[in-house]
Amino acid sequence: MSASASPVPAVGIDFGTTNSVVARTAGDGAVDLAEFAAPGQTGSVFRSALCFWQEDAVRGGLAHEAGPWAIAEFLGFPQGSRFIQSFKSVAASTTFEHAQIFTKRLRFEDLGRTFLEHLTAHAGDTLRNLPERIVVGRPVRYVGARPDPALAATRYGAMFAGLGREIHYVYEPLGAAYSFASRLTDPATLLVADFGGGTSDFSIVRVEAPDAPRRCVPLASAGVGIAGDRFDFRIMDQLVLPLLGKGGTYRSFDKVLEIPPGHFADFSDWSRLALMRNKRTLDQLAKLRHAATDPAAIDRMIAVVEQELGYGLYEAIGAVKRALSSQAHASFTFEGEGLSVTAEVSRADFERWIAPDLAELERGVDRVLARAGLAADNIDHVFVTGGSSLIPAVRQLFERRFGESRIASGDELTSIAHGLALIGSAPDLAEWTVEEVEEA
């Protein structure tokens, strides 16, 4: 952020695991967020989701939509469509080769280009006549036990090539830092904690006075491959899966054995759960139901898979998670064809389930401070952003380390795109782009 040079037009794209946001500067320093006139409501947040269905009149026989339109299509015709969400989470996965969508095999970049095609179309004027500068956010650390950043870079490159512009990549928390820095009037050292759907990333930036030649200087970044989706799965694993048979038993000849946990592995993230509806899986579950000591629980599991109820199930989990951010107890209720489950959950339960994840987040904060050569007392402001920043236990982690008075929040879903657009319009863009990879 330089005070001495005029800004240039740029577009910032926050391609998120759960949501995506697009911002644009026109060269006057002002930032406009793309608005999407989605079914039900207009807003600046575009769900990172795809829906496919077969249609003979469409070239290739495969029709598709994205964002809230994808959700509407899926809810209108669930048994005849395939719904894909959180596909960003496989960007750095060497084990993911393609998604089987009816008779077609779609690679990550195929899914990404299809998603961008619809995002661009629904964004209206914001993505028409694109400027030369396109800035895309990327995680500091990708999701997965052994993510391959080079593979993710290749896939991102293929995905965004269709925009026809040179793409500049910037760490996502640096976008949020740049956005927050535009509010400050005095020099400060700023720590940003960005909690997305798949990753939690941290950056430290030195902010100089508004008239300084270099307003912002990035000092260090670090990341953890866990965030909102992991918290959702903790609820799925601890609260919901026991109702679907996890921890139960089955009969094998004269023995009673525990149901193998592998039957529930694909519930760990949405992109895998959405693909479970196939003959092989359903045949395996039918055999399990026949042998189970509690066949009703397996019936519920089969209903989730066969009726493709995963979307609604995860929506109900997300609703409970949000409720526990403002109240001490919440009710989990979900009903679908062939399935009805109800359970009570407390905030204390939820915090116990995510305790290992909170410890990982704290280690991420330790790493970014160490890389910057700073102690907690050297940080003047802490900006927490992203949906999971609203979880009380997450916020308390930072309050304990830095003190409540230094914590700020707001624009939880749009600050990254806003900052990426500002970075793109600045003359020192090259100082913010990143090519190096995050080490575990």
Side-chain angles (χ1 to χ4, degrees):
M1 185 185 297
S2 172
S4 60
S6 299
V8 298
V11 162
I13 301 177
D14 176 19
F15 167 50
T17 302
T18 306
N19 299 300
S20 294
V21 181
V22 179
R24 181 166 184 156
T25 61
D28 59 359
V31 178
D32 294 319
L33 296 174
E35 292 287 318
F36 303 98
Q41 98 181 63
T42 296
S44 56
V45 176
F46 192 87
R47 193 69 169 264
S48 300
L50 286 162
C51 184
F52 297 88
W53 65 95
Q54 293 177 305
E55 193 170 306
D56 293 338
V58 176
R59 182 179 177 183
L62 191 63
H64 39 74
E65 251 299 354
W69 288 267
I71 296 171
E73 289 286 351
F74 174 73
L75 294 179
F77 189 39
Q79 274 125 21
S81 59
R82 297 293 181 269
F83 188 76
I84 302 293
Q85 182 170 286
S86 301
F87 67 96
K88 177 185 174 181
S89 63
V90 299
S93 171
T94 57
T95 60
F96 178 84
E97 296 180 358
H98 60 263
Q100 186 73 40
I101 307 297
F102 299 106
T103 61
K104 295 185 181 294
R105 294 179 175 181
L106 301 184
R107 300 166 299 172
F108 174 88
E109 48 267 43
D110 300 322
L111 297 172
R113 284 193 291 259
T114 301
F115 176 76
L116 280 179
E117 173 190 328
H118 291 289
L119 175 71
T120 302
H122 289 300
D125 292 339
T126 305
L127 290 181
R128 290 199 185 103
N129 301 316
L130 286 171
E132 289 301 315
R133 288 192 173 187
I134 308 293
V135 179
V136 174
R138 56 146 286 186
V140 179
R141 188 185 191 280
Y142 291 93
V143 181
R146 295 182 178 178
D148 185 339
L151 176 61
T154 298
R155 287 172 167 172
Y156 267 45
M159 171 180 172
F160 288 98
L163 295 179
R165 299 288 188 271
E166 182 179 357
I167 305 299
H168 306 272
Y169 296 98
V170 171
Y171 286 146
E172 290 161 355
L174 288 180
Y178 212 96
S179 177
F180 184 79
S182 66
R183 311 180 193 176
L184 301 178
T185 57
D186 298 314
T189 300
L190 169 66
L191 166 65
V192 168
D194 166 40
F195 301 99
T199 61
S200 298
D201 292 325
F202 312 99
S203 287
I204 296 177
V205 172
R206 179 62 190 172
V207 183
E208 303 297 345
D211 58 351
R214 292 184 66 202
R215 181 79 201 283
C216 278
V217 180
L219 300 181
S221 293
V224 177
I226 58 173
D229 283 356
R230 176 72 66 86
F231 299 151
D232 288 348
F233 177 67
R234 295 298 189 191
I235 298 174
M236 171 70 83
D237 188 51
Q238 298 288 334
L239 185 70
V240 180
L241 287 185
L243 302 174
L244 307 185
K246 186 173 182 180
T249 58
Y250 72 102
R251 297 181 183 88
S252 177
F253 299 104
D254 59 344
K255 297 180 180 179
V256 176
L257 305 173
E258 184 175 345
I259 295 173
H263 284 289
F264 307 92
D266 285 338
F267 282 79
S268 63
D269 71 57
W270 176 255
S271 62
R272 293 162 63 184
L273 175 57
L275 302 176
M276 283 182 69
R277 189 176 179 266
N278 58 72
K279 186 178 185 302
R280 180 184 176 189
T281 299
L282 290 171
D283 286 347
Q284 289 175 342
L285 293 180
K287 292 178 182 178
L288 178 62
R289 183 204 177 280
H290 180 73
T293 56
D294 182 7
I298 307 305
D299 280 336
R300 291 191 285 268
M301 183 180 178
I302 291 173
V304 171
V305 176
E306 194 167 38
Q307 305 303 326
E308 294 192 315
L309 302 177
Y311 170 74
L313 190 58
Y314 266 95
E315 285 293 290
I317 287 171
V320 165
K321 183 178 70 173
R322 290 187 293 274
L324 291 173
S325 291
S326 59
Q327 56 198 56
H329 294 83
S331 296
F332 173 81
T333 302
F334 178 74
E335 293 187 4
E337 188 173 345
L339 177 66
S340 178
V341 293
T342 303
E344 295 298 313
V345 60
S346 70
R347 182 188 292 175
D349 290 333
F350 176 56
E351 292 179 351
R352 186 176 68 256
W353 299 338
I354 67 172
D357 307 316
L358 295 175
E360 280 294 317
L361 296 182
E362 191 142 22
R363 283 191 282 272
V365 175
D366 291 338
R367 280 199 298 277
V368 76
L369 288 170
R371 290 176 182 180
L374 298 174
D377 290 345
N378 301 129
I379 302 298
D380 300 303
H381 300 282
V382 178
F383 179 51
V384 292
T385 189
S388 294
S389 67
L390 301 174
I391 295 174
V394 172
R395 189 177 181 94
Q396 288 162 12
L397 184 156
F398 290 90
E399 290 176 351
R400 289 195 303 270
R401 294 287 295 269
F402 301 98
E404 185 176 358
S405 64
R406 285 186 273 175
I407 312 298
S409 59
D411 302 324
E412 283 81 13
L413 301 181
T414 61
S415 62
I416 292 175
H418 179 272
L420 293 175
L422 288 175
I423 289 172
S425 69
D428 57 350
L429 169 61
E431 298 180 23
W432 292 82
T433 57
V434 289
E435 300 298 335
E436 70 274 13
V437 300
E438 161 77 351
E439 297 179 1

